[in-house]
Amino acid sequence: MKYNLLPLILLSFLVVPLLSMGSAPAITVTTQPVYHPGQTVFISGVTSPNTQVGVTIYNPQGKAVYSNVTTSGSNGDYSLKAFTFPTQQSSTFPFGTYTVQVGTTTGFTNSTTFQFLPLTATVNVLVVNSQGVPVQGVTVTADSVTATTNASGQAVLNLPTGTYTLKVVPPSPYSATSENITVTAPNTYSFKITVQVQELALQVVSATSPNVNLKDLTSGTGITMTGGTTLTLMSTVTFAGQPVSTATVTAMYNGTMYNATYMNGYYVITISVPNVQYETDLVIQATYSGMQSNTVTLPLTVNVNEQALIASLNSTIQSLESQLSSLSNTVSSLSSSVSSLSGTVSSLSHTVSTLNGTVASLQGSVSTLSSEYNTLNSRVNALSGLSGTVDIALAVSIIAIIISIVVLILVFRKIS
């Protein structure tokens, strides 16, 4: 396409004033509001009869893509066929807002805009509840295109050819849902989506540890973390679309139940993960007023923290070395005590040996005394005529000898 008439031609129409401008009619400009690939742009309007009209069209980047001059008819109407859009957008003709500027030699100017958009399919969405009653105020979104259902539960979206996730976000007490759709322009489609009353909903909003930082977790979201660290889970619980602070939230991990603490609008669960290699499921569950929500199951993979394991082993070795040193000191002390006891035993053995000698000597003395007693006894019998005084003296001597023998025997037993 060639544009032989440059915008400079139009400059004379836009900036040259006419002394009688105040009495001349203004200029209007119209075009259809939206064009699609392959469609032709037409410009029309009204000004004074038989007047030259300059037309310039600018793309969304402000670059002039069309300039031409036409002449209004005897009734002041003018129109022209500008250009045809390509079947696909390009750097010269990108999708977006185009500006049309017009002007006359009388100095009158005007402008308008139109949209160059991809060809779209019309998507009619009907949102109802489980009883089939239309739901008003539902936000329906596909990519960046959004519409809201009216009193009849209907919303209309215009979508280019493609596959989309149709997200449906109803007001309380209904829960959000989504549906995958595929459309081809310029066809028309109708979808009916049923939303359910939201009762108790559990949302795990984050899982954080030294090497994990995940948000908005749903069942099946995998977590990989390093052992020997702490995993913190933060969840929210809503009932009928409203947050609640008195629910019971638990996490079942490796056979152990953990209870959440409610803090600043979140249910917080802290789990100390041992430093071992394994895989398990982390199951989070919420209950409120006797109702149980759907659980969120997060597959958890724990990798061994080798540096922490080495540090722990080093600490254990140091502890064992300290205990071994203490035991060595104890053994040394016991050896000294045994040596001291050995000396004491040796001394006692020598004492016993000495006492044994003394006892043997005493036994000899007793034998001698016994012999002497026998001799004295014979003499006493021979001297039966002696007075009673001699008998008493002999009796006392005998008693003294017996007492000495008893004392020696007692001393010997005590020493033994």
Side-chain angles (χ1 to χ4, degrees), residues 312-324:
S312 177
L313 289 174
N314 288 335
S315 177
T316 301
I317 291 172
Q318 291 176 358
S319 176
L320 290 174
E321 289 176 345
S322 176
Q323 293 178 23
L324 182 59

PDB file of all heavy atoms in Angstrom, residues 312-324:
ATOM      1  N   SER A 312      27.229 -32.947  63.641  1.00  0.00           N
ATOM      2  CA  SER A 312      26.696 -33.734  64.755  1.00  0.00           C
ATOM      3  C   SER A 312      27.658 -34.856  65.142  1.00  0.00           C
ATOM      4  O   SER A 312      27.886 -35.120  66.328  1.00  0.00           O
ATOM      5  CB  SER A 312      25.331 -34.309  64.377  1.00  0.00           C
ATOM      6  OG  SER A 312      24.820 -35.139  65.396  1.00  0.00           O
ATOM      7  N   LEU A 313      28.248 -35.523  64.125  1.00  0.00           N
ATOM      8  CA  LEU A 313      29.202 -36.587  64.406  1.00  0.00           C
ATOM      9  C   LEU A 313      30.445 -36.050  65.104  1.00  0.00           C
ATOM     10  O   LEU A 313      30.969 -36.670  66.041  1.00  0.00           O
ATOM     11  CB  LEU A 313      29.594 -37.287  63.100  1.00  0.00           C
ATOM     12  CG  LEU A 313      28.515 -38.164  62.453  1.00  0.00           C
ATOM     13  CD1 LEU A 313      28.984 -38.676  61.099  1.00  0.00           C
ATOM     14  CD2 LEU A 313      28.142 -39.323  63.365  1.00  0.00           C
ATOM     15  N   ASN A 314      30.910 -34.878  64.650  1.00  0.00           N
ATOM     16  CA  ASN A 314      32.068 -34.266  65.308  1.00  0.00           C
ATOM     17  C   ASN A 314      31.770 -33.947  66.759  1.00  0.00           C
ATOM     18  O   ASN A 314      32.601 -34.148  67.649  1.00  0.00           O
ATOM     19  CB  ASN A 314      32.483 -32.994  64.565  1.00  0.00           C
ATOM     20  CG  ASN A 314      33.146 -33.298  63.233  1.00  0.00           C
ATOM     21  OD1 ASN A 314      33.703 -34.378  63.042  1.00  0.00           O
ATOM     22  ND2 ASN A 314      33.090 -32.355  62.300  1.00  0.00           N
ATOM     23  N   SER A 315      30.575 -33.443  67.019  1.00  0.00           N
ATOM     24  CA  SER A 315      30.179 -33.139  68.397  1.00  0.00           C
ATOM     25  C   SER A 315      30.126 -34.408  69.243  1.00  0.00           C
ATOM     26  O   SER A 315      30.560 -34.419  70.400  1.00  0.00           O
ATOM     27  CB  SER A 315      28.816 -32.443  68.393  1.00  0.00           C
ATOM     28  OG  SER A 315      28.379 -32.196  69.708  1.00  0.00           O
ATOM     29  N   THR A 316      29.603 -35.495  68.648  1.00  0.00           N
ATOM     30  CA  THR A 316      29.539 -36.771  69.376  1.00  0.00           C
ATOM     31  C   THR A 316      30.937 -37.295  69.690  1.00  0.00           C
ATOM     32  O   THR A 316      31.209 -37.788  70.790  1.00  0.00           O
ATOM     33  CB  THR A 316      28.757 -37.801  68.546  1.00  0.00           C
ATOM     34  OG1 THR A 316      27.439 -37.298  68.289  1.00  0.00           O
ATOM     35  CG2 THR A 316      28.652 -39.120  69.289  1.00  0.00           C
ATOM     36  N   ILE A 317      31.842 -37.177  68.704  1.00  0.00           N
ATOM     37  CA  ILE A 317      33.222 -37.635  68.913  1.00  0.00           C
ATOM     38  C   ILE A 317      33.892 -36.841  70.034  1.00  0.00           C
ATOM     39  O   ILE A 317      34.581 -37.400  70.895  1.00  0.00           O
ATOM     40  CB  ILE A 317      34.014 -37.514  67.605  1.00  0.00           C
ATOM     41  CG1 ILE A 317      33.508 -38.545  66.589  1.00  0.00           C
ATOM     42  CG2 ILE A 317      35.507 -37.699  67.847  1.00  0.00           C
ATOM     43  CD1 ILE A 317      34.080 -38.382  65.209  1.00  0.00           C
ATOM     44  N   GLN A 318      33.674 -35.528  70.030  1.00  0.00           N
ATOM     45  CA  GLN A 318      34.253 -34.691  71.085  1.00  0.00           C
ATOM     46  C   GLN A 318      33.711 -35.082  72.448  1.00  0.00           C
ATOM     47  O   GLN A 318      34.440 -35.138  73.440  1.00  0.00           O
ATOM     48  CB  GLN A 318      33.974 -33.221  70.794  1.00  0.00           C
ATOM     49  CG  GLN A 318      34.721 -32.688  69.584  1.00  0.00           C
ATOM     50  CD  GLN A 318      34.355 -31.247  69.272  1.00  0.00           C
ATOM     51  OE1 GLN A 318      33.507 -30.653  69.937  1.00  0.00           O
ATOM     52  NE2 GLN A 318      34.992 -30.690  68.253  1.00  0.00           N
ATOM     53  N   SER A 319      32.411 -35.396  72.509  1.00  0.00           N
ATOM     54  CA  SER A 319      31.804 -35.810  73.777  1.00  0.00           C
ATOM     55  C   SER A 319      32.397 -37.133  74.256  1.00  0.00           C
ATOM     56  O   SER A 319      32.706 -37.311  75.440  1.00  0.00           O
ATOM     57  CB  SER A 319      30.286 -35.924  73.615  1.00  0.00           C
ATOM     58  OG  SER A 319      29.686 -36.407  74.799  1.00  0.00           O
ATOM     59  N   LEU A 320      32.575 -38.085  73.307  1.00  0.00           N
ATOM     60  CA  LEU A 320      33.153 -39.382  73.666  1.00  0.00           C
ATOM     61  C   LEU A 320      34.598 -39.230  74.135  1.00  0.00           C
ATOM     62  O   LEU A 320      35.042 -39.904  75.073  1.00  0.00           O
ATOM     63  CB  LEU A 320      33.080 -40.326  72.475  1.00  0.00           C
ATOM     64  CG  LEU A 320      31.672 -40.808  72.099  1.00  0.00           C
ATOM     65  CD1 LEU A 320      31.712 -41.620  70.807  1.00  0.00           C
ATOM     66  CD2 LEU A 320      31.055 -41.631  73.217  1.00  0.00           C
ATOM     67  N   GLU A 321      35.339 -38.343  73.463  1.00  0.00           N
ATOM     68  CA  GLU A 321      36.723 -38.103  73.877  1.00  0.00           C
ATOM     69  C   GLU A 321      36.770 -37.541  75.288  1.00  0.00           C
ATOM     70  O   GLU A 321      37.633 -37.914  76.097  1.00  0.00           O
ATOM     71  CB  GLU A 321      37.398 -37.147  72.895  1.00  0.00           C
ATOM     72  CG  GLU A 321      37.686 -37.771  71.535  1.00  0.00           C
ATOM     73  CD  GLU A 321      38.279 -36.762  70.566  1.00  0.00           C
ATOM     74  OE1 GLU A 321      38.186 -35.548  70.858  1.00  0.00           O
ATOM     75  OE2 GLU A 321      38.827 -37.188  69.521  1.00  0.00           O
ATOM     76  N   SER A 322      35.852 -36.646  75.600  1.00  0.00           N
ATOM     77  CA  SER A 322      35.794 -36.071  76.938  1.00  0.00           C
ATOM     78  C   SER A 322      35.466 -37.143  77.972  1.00  0.00           C
ATOM     79  O   SER A 322      36.071 -37.198  79.055  1.00  0.00           O
ATOM     80  CB  SER A 322      34.747 -34.954  76.977  1.00  0.00           C
ATOM     81  OG  SER A 322      34.608 -34.439  78.278  1.00  0.00           O
ATOM     82  N   GLN A 323      34.498 -38.024  77.638  1.00  0.00           N
ATOM     83  CA  GLN A 323      34.136 -39.102  78.565  1.00  0.00           C
ATOM     84  C   GLN A 323      35.300 -40.078  78.750  1.00  0.00           C
ATOM     85  O   GLN A 323      35.553 -40.562  79.860  1.00  0.00           O
ATOM     86  CB  GLN A 323      32.907 -39.842  78.040  1.00  0.00           C
ATOM     87  CG  GLN A 323      31.636 -39.002  78.029  1.00  0.00           C
ATOM     88  CD  GLN A 323      30.459 -39.751  77.451  1.00  0.00           C
ATOM     89  OE1 GLN A 323      30.432 -40.976  77.449  1.00  0.00           O
ATOM     90  NE2 GLN A 323      29.469 -39.011  76.971  1.00  0.00           N
ATOM     91  N   LEU A 324      36.042 -40.356  77.661  1.00  0.00           N
ATOM     92  CA  LEU A 324      37.189 -41.260  77.755  1.00  0.00           C
ATOM     93  C   LEU A 324      38.272 -40.681  78.648  1.00  0.00           C
ATOM     94  O   LEU A 324      38.886 -41.397  79.453  1.00  0.00           O
ATOM     95  CB  LEU A 324      37.741 -41.521  76.351  1.00  0.00           C
ATOM     96  CG  LEU A 324      38.925 -42.494  76.244  1.00  0.00           C
ATOM     97  CD1 LEU A 324      38.527 -43.855  76.798  1.00  0.00           C
ATOM     98  CD2 LEU A 324      39.392 -42.612  74.801  1.00  0.00           C
TER      99      LEU A 324
END
